[in-house]
């Protein structure tokens, strides 16, 4: 007897059988885009059917196996293709209900027989049974409710699956109304084409293991799911069926963490591999292949749950890092700083995943250095792929670091060495920096970091000055000392009027200023503005007009050493202040030293 059967089935034959989606499967995730594409494809293939029959239309394959549940002996478990099969059932429900809306007296029993059917139980009573049963808890019995024509407007659920299925049902009815109006005949012809001419290939096996292997083979050829889904399948292949529920719970926790953080699963997997195994280059398309070829490193066969636990720990740390926190959820000011600067970039997480077991004090020290180097790479326009490879290469050594001595050696060997190589380039690019050469949010970060560095030295390390949120918020604005929209007098007074807009955009012409102060100076002349700058709580802005002095040799006085004031604001002043900001940047991002820093104070 063949253990694998493959059949080319029209929908009406496919739905002669009953199906279940096991509880370890992922939930229904199709959005309007996927549903619309299926409807449009069917509509296009249908053409003028039944007047003109242009042949069958193939929509893909499903992989099933015989259910081992004694109470479900005539039911097939869906291993692959549940998104498509669920959508077909939803479309049938929408067709049935759209016809009833057009013609309340119309007979829809023929359609309903493909959605659910009556059978006689052992007590001799008729029971209705859905053609497709979703066993995962997120489904909340939604298909059964649609099958029984329950009003979807009364269904309240926070489950993404339920919401997606209701949206698919509602959209399909709207699609039918838009394309066929109240023409019952046309809607029925669409139904006739769907069940008679739309086909799938159903691959049926004797066991779940066989079905999973076929699922893997189909998807490994570039059809269907991504590496995250295939990896999940790989885990299920190597645990016993009675452990499926336990594995599903753990996998769900991994996926939920990424979803809640709105992080891309495949990017996480790339950085997981690079940060934990030192792989210097891997594309998203090769992730699954890498796992298949490196079981000896991952042990997902010999210790599947141990491997999943490692993934879970990494994804938890990953999520905390992108939120600016340590793996245990405590604050880390330098990780928080990175959020203001990195944008969508995540390459620094390669090193942080390798360091996730370090104590918080050492992790903070490392994060300080990573922030400095990551900023240096960005300013000097180091190619992303170049430093991504470096981080992956360094990760193998970082994984071995257990104490402060080891961390200092790592920082000196890699990070300090890189900063020394980049210092001259760093200075050059900052000296040329203007608003058009870098994103606006990064300009704010640069000014915030310089301001924070000065204020912390002057006023002490407090929670207020430790956080960049003090400098980057709705009450702090980016001030152009030479106004963007000047009055005629201001523009005429500028010594290089023909280059006015070029100087407006220079870093040296920018500072941070409290909104309450900024609103009072508008686009006025420098003589008026400078008096208002002195009212700012930010030393970098105060110092434009007057450098604060308190007592003799105080922290405030020492912090002001090297700052320069300006009696007038012209091209020379802007160029000089740009040089000053470069000098301050070398201190703020620890680019002056040639040995590993031993303190995280900036």
């Amino acid at each position: 007897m063949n253990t694998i059967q493959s059949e080319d089935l029209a929908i009406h034959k496919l739905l002669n059988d009953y199906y279940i989606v096991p509880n370890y499967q992922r939930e229904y995730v199709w959005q309007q885009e996927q549903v619309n594409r299926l409807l449009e494809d069917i509509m296009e293939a249908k053409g003028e059917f039944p007047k003109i029959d242009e042949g069958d239309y193939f929509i893909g394959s499903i992989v099933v196996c015989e259910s081992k549940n004694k109470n479900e002996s005539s039911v097939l478990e869906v291993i692959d293709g549940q998104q498509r099969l669920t959508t077909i059932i939803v479309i049938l429900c929408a067709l049935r209900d759209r016809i009833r809306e057009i013609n309340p007296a119309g007979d829809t029993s023929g359609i309903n027989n493909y959605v659910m059917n009556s059978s006689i139980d052992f007590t001799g009573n008729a029971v209705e049974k859905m053609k497709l049963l979703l066993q995962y808890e997120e489904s909340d019995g939604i298909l059964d409710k649609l099958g029984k024509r329950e009003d979807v407007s009364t269904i309240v659920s926070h489950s993404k699956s339920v919401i997606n299925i209701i949206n698919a049902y509602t959209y399909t009815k709207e699609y039918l109304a838009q394309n066929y109006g109240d023409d019952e005949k046309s809607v029925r012809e669409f139904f006739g084409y769907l069940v008679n001419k739309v086909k799938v290939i159903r691959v049926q096996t004797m066991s779940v293991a066989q079905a999973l292997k076929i699922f893997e083979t189909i998807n490994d050829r570039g059809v269907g799911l991504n590496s995250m889904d295939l990896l999940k399948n790989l885990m299920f292949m190597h645990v016993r069926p009675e452990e499926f529920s336990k594995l599903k719970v753990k996998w769900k926790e991994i996926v939920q963490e990424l979803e809640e953080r709105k992080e891309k699963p495949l990017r996480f997997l790339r950085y997981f591999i690079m940060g934990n195994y030192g792989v210097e280059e891997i594309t998203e398309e090769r992730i699954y292949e890498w796992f298949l070829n490196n079981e000896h490193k991952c042990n997902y066969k010999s210790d599947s749950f141990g491997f999943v636990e490692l993934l879970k720990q990494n994804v938890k740390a990953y999520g905390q890092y992108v939120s600016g926190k340590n793996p245990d959820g405590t604050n880390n000011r330098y990780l928080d700083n990175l959020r203001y600067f990195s944008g969508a970039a995540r390459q620094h997480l390669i090193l942080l995943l390798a360091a996730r077991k370090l104590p918080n004090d050492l992790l903070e020290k490392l994060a300080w250095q990573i922030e400095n180097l990551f900023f240096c790479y960005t300013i000097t326009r180091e190619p992303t792929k170049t430093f991504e490879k470096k981080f992956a290469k360094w990760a193998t050594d970082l994984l071995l670091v257990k104490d402060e001595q080891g961390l200092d050696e790592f920082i000196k060997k890699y990070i300090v060495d890189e900063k020394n190589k980049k210092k001259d380039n760093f200075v050059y690019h900052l000296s040329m920096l203007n608003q058009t050469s870098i994103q606006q949010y990064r300009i704010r970060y640069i000014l915030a970091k310089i301001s924070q560095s000065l204020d912390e030295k002057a006023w002490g390390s407090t929670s207020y000055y430790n956080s960049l949120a003090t400098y980057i918020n709705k009450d702090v604005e980016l001030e152009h000392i030479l106004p963007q929209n000047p009055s005629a007098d201001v523009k005429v007074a500028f010594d290089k009027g023909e280059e006015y807009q070029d100087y407006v955009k220079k870093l040296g012409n920018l500072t941070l200023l409290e909104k309450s102060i900024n609103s009072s100076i508008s686009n006025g002349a420098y003589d008026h503005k400078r008096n208002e700058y002195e009212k700012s709580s930010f030393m970098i802005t105060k110092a434009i007009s007057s450098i604060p002095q308190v007592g003799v040799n105080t922290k405030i006085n020492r912090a002001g050493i090297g700052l320069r004031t300006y009696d007038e604001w012209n091209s020379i002043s802007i160029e000089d202040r740009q040089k000053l900001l470069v000098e301050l940047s070398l201190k703020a991002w620890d680019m002056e030293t040639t040995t590993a820093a031993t303190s995280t104070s900036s």
Side-chain angles (χ1 to χ4, degrees):
M1 182 176 63
N2 291 334
T3 58
I4 300 176
Q5 299 176 16
S6 178
E7 297 178 272
D8 177 2
L9 299 176
I11 297 299
H12 74 91
K13 289 186 178 179
L14 181 75
L15 295 178
N16 280 339
D17 295 309
Y18 293 89
Y19 301 87
I20 60 170
V21 176
N23 61 7
Y24 59 83
Q25 288 276 22
R26 69 172 180 168
E27 62 273 15
Y28 184 78
V29 297
W30 272 22
Q31 304 288 323
Q32 179 177 318
E33 177 186 355
Q34 289 81 20
V35 176
N36 178 70
R37 189 182 303 133
L38 179 60
L39 290 168
E40 288 284 353
D41 288 348
I42 294 172
M43 176 77 79
E44 182 180 352
K46 174 182 174 295
E48 296 185 47
F49 180 87
K51 291 180 182 178
I52 300 175
D53 186 354
E54 296 184 355
D56 300 333
Y57 179 64
F58 172 67
I59 61 169
S61 62
I62 67 170
V63 180
V64 300
C65 68
E66 295 180 2
S67 174
K68 297 305 177 184
N69 189 324
K70 293 180 181 179
N71 296 323
E72 298 169 341
S73 57
S74 61
V75 175
L76 298 172
E77 288 190 17
V78 182
I79 304 303
D80 186 28
Q82 72 114 329
Q83 305 291 324
R84 192 177 298 110
L85 186 55
T86 301
T87 306
I88 291 297
I89 295 294
V90 170
I91 290 173
L92 288 168
C93 289
L95 279 164
R96 177 200 63 196
D97 297 345
R98 179 59 189 150
I99 290 173
R100 291 292 290 271
E101 286 177 351
I102 297 170
N103 178 13
D107 181 13
T108 56
S109 60
I111 302 178
N112 206 55
N113 286 339
Y114 294 117
V115 175
M116 62 194 313
N117 218 331
S118 295
S119 60
I120 305 301
D121 64 15
F122 293 126
T123 66
N125 294 310
V127 292
E128 289 185 319
K129 184 176 181 180
M130 288 294 297
K131 289 289 184 173
L132 176 64
L133 175 64
L134 307 180
Q135 289 192 323
Y136 51 85
E137 61 180 312
E138 295 89 347
S139 68
D140 198 24
I142 181 61
L143 280 191
D144 191 57
K145 293 173 183 176
L146 287 181
K148 294 176 180 177
R149 299 191 180 95
E150 187 169 326
D151 184 357
V152 295
S153 65
T154 66
I155 300 173
V156 178
S157 176
H158 298 294
S159 163
K160 288 184 179 180
S161 283
V162 173
I163 293 170
N164 288 338
I165 288 173
I166 290 176
N167 288 342
Y169 167 81
T170 303
Y171 176 73
T172 301
K173 284 212 303 178
E174 291 172 352
Y175 181 90
L176 293 170
Q178 181 179 354
N179 284 276
Y180 298 125
D182 291 335
D183 186 352
E184 179 183 353
K185 179 174 177 290
S186 294
V187 178
R188 286 188 180 275
E189 286 177 355
F190 184 91
F191 164 66
Y193 182 81
L194 173 65
V195 295
N196 288 294
K197 307 301 289 184
V198 173
K199 290 189 171 184
V200 300
I201 292 176
R202 185 179 72 184
V203 180
Q204 183 174 340
T205 69
M206 298 289 288
S207 68
V208 173
Q210 270 188 321
L212 286 169
K213 184 61 180 175
I214 292 171
F215 164 91
E216 173 192 32
T217 303
I218 291 173
N219 285 283
D220 194 34
R221 301 298 184 267
V223 179
L225 308 183
N226 61 38
S227 297
M228 193 73 176
D229 299 304
L230 290 170
L231 183 58
K232 173 189 174 184
N233 170 65
L234 191 62
M235 297 299 98
F236 278 99
M237 287 176 64
H238 297 293
V239 299
R240 298 187 301 276
E242 57 267 27
E243 295 177 316
F244 281 0
S245 294
K246 178 182 175 184
L247 183 57
K248 181 199 172 184
V249 170
K250 289 185 174 294
W251 198 266
K252 183 178 178 181
E253 290 172 351
I254 292 171
V255 173
Q256 277 186 333
E257 180 71 32
L258 293 170
E259 286 180 347
E260 288 172 4
R261 306 284 184 179
K262 293 182 172 57
E263 290 294 316
K264 299 177 180 178
L266 297 189
R267 179 163 60 184
F268 160 70
L269 284 180
R270 281 189 71 237
Y271 292 161
F272 168 78
I273 292 171
M274 298 172 92
N276 284 269
Y277 304 103
V279 177
E280 295 178 32
E281 188 171 7
I282 183 169
T283 63
E284 291 184 355
E285 292 76 16
R286 304 300 295 272
I287 289 172
Y288 184 63
E289 179 184 351
W290 185 88
F291 280 115
L292 289 178
N293 295 332
N294 289 276
E295 197 282 332
H296 61 289
K297 294 181 179 179
C298 306
N299 299 317
Y300 57 76
K301 287 184 182 179
S302 58
D303 185 15
S304 298
F305 281 100
F307 173 70
V308 171
E309 183 59 31
L310 177 64
L311 272 177
K312 182 180 171 183
Q313 292 171 8
N314 273 263
V315 82
K316 186 69 175 178
Y318 189 96
Q320 295 288 11
Y321 288 148
V322 297
S323 297
K325 299 181 183 297
N326 295 314
D328 63 0
T330 55
N331 293 328
N332 184 316
R333 60 180 292 191
Y334 304 107
L335 293 177
D336 193 48
N337 289 354
L338 277 161
R339 293 192 309 126
Y340 291 102
F341 174 69
S342 62
R346 296 286 185 270
Q347 289 80 12
H348 55 287
L349 298 180
I350 297 170
L351 288 177
L352 290 169
L353 287 177
R356 63 185 173 79
K357 292 184 179 180
L358 287 179
N360 286 349
D361 59 333
L362 298 187
L363 190 56
E364 183 164 301
K365 187 174 189 177
L366 175 66
W368 176 46
Q369 293 290 348
I370 289 176
E371 180 196 0
N372 297 338
L373 180 60
F374 194 52
F375 174 73
C376 173
Y377 278 151
T378 304
I379 287 297
T380 58
R381 301 180 182 178
E382 181 85 354
T384 301
K385 289 295 182 185
T386 300
F387 66 80
E388 188 177 80
K389 288 181 182 179
K390 290 179 182 178
F391 287 174
K393 184 178 180 180
W394 302 350
T396 54
D397 277 1
L398 188 54
L399 285 164
L400 303 176
V401 171
K402 306 297 181 186
D403 53 29
E404 187 166 21
Q405 180 181 348
L407 181 60
D408 285 342
E409 291 172 357
F410 173 86
I411 291 172
K412 181 177 180 180
K413 179 179 179 181
Y414 294 115
I415 298 179
V416 172
D417 182 60
E418 282 290 291
K419 288 194 296 183
N420 286 337
K421 291 176 183 176
K422 292 286 182 182
K423 181 178 178 180
D424 290 344
N425 206 10
F426 178 83
V427 169
Y428 169 77
H429 279 90
L430 273 180
S431 66
M432 303 298 292
L433 194 69
N434 62 54
Q435 279 190 282
T436 62
S437 60
I438 196 169
Q439 298 94 328
Q440 191 79 350
Y441 69 90
R442 285 179 167 165
I443 285 282
R444 290 181 66 88
Y445 163 84
I446 291 168
L447 292 169
K449 182 74 174 179
I450 295 171
S451 297
Q452 181 194 53
S453 176
L454 271 178
D455 290 345
E456 195 171 354
K457 287 172 182 173
W459 317 114
S461 184
T462 67
S463 58
Y464 181 78
Y465 292 116
N466 280 353
S467 175
L468 283 189
T470 298
Y471 306 87
I472 304 176
N473 63 70
K474 62 182 178 60
D475 295 321
V476 178
E477 296 182 337
L478 190 63
E479 158 71 352
H480 294 76
I481 305 169
L482 188 65
Q484 286 181 293
N485 301 301
S487 64
D489 291 343
V490 170
K491 190 166 185 178
V492 168
F494 188 63
D495 62 317
K496 290 189 177 181
E498 70 282 0
E499 299 177 48
Y500 188 96
Q501 288 302 324
D502 292 334
Y503 276 90
V504 165
K505 298 172 185 176
K506 285 182 178 291
L507 179 65
N509 187 54
L510 305 175
T511 195
L512 296 179
L513 187 62
E514 293 87 341
K515 186 176 183 179
S516 57
I517 300 175
N518 201 20
S519 61
S520 67
I521 60 177
S522 186
N523 295 314
Y526 179 68
D527 286 344
H528 170 61
K529 283 188 170 188
R530 64 177 298 184
N531 295 326
E532 298 301 308
Y533 291 158
E534 291 186 37
K535 299 176 184 178
S536 174
S537 62
F538 308 142
M539 179 172 277
I540 189 65
T541 303
K542 281 179 179 289
I544 295 171
S545 177
S546 175
I547 300 172
Q549 294 287 317
V550 178
V552 178
N553 196 29
T554 61
K555 289 176 66 176
I556 296 173
N557 294 356
R558 291 195 297 272
I561 295 174
L563 296 182
R564 300 189 281 278
T565 60
Y566 302 93
D567 294 330
E568 58 180 325
W569 199 250
N570 52 30
S571 62
I572 295 173
S573 303
I574 294 172
E575 290 167 1
D576 182 73
R577 189 165 181 273
Q578 183 114 359
K579 292 178 183 177
L580 171 62
L581 294 181
V582 172
E583 294 166 11
L584 295 173
S585 295
L586 290 171
K587 298 174 182 176
W589 282 279
D590 190 41
M591 293 293 294
E592 290 184 312
T593 59
T594 55
T595 57
T598 57
S599 167
T600 55
S601 63
S602 57

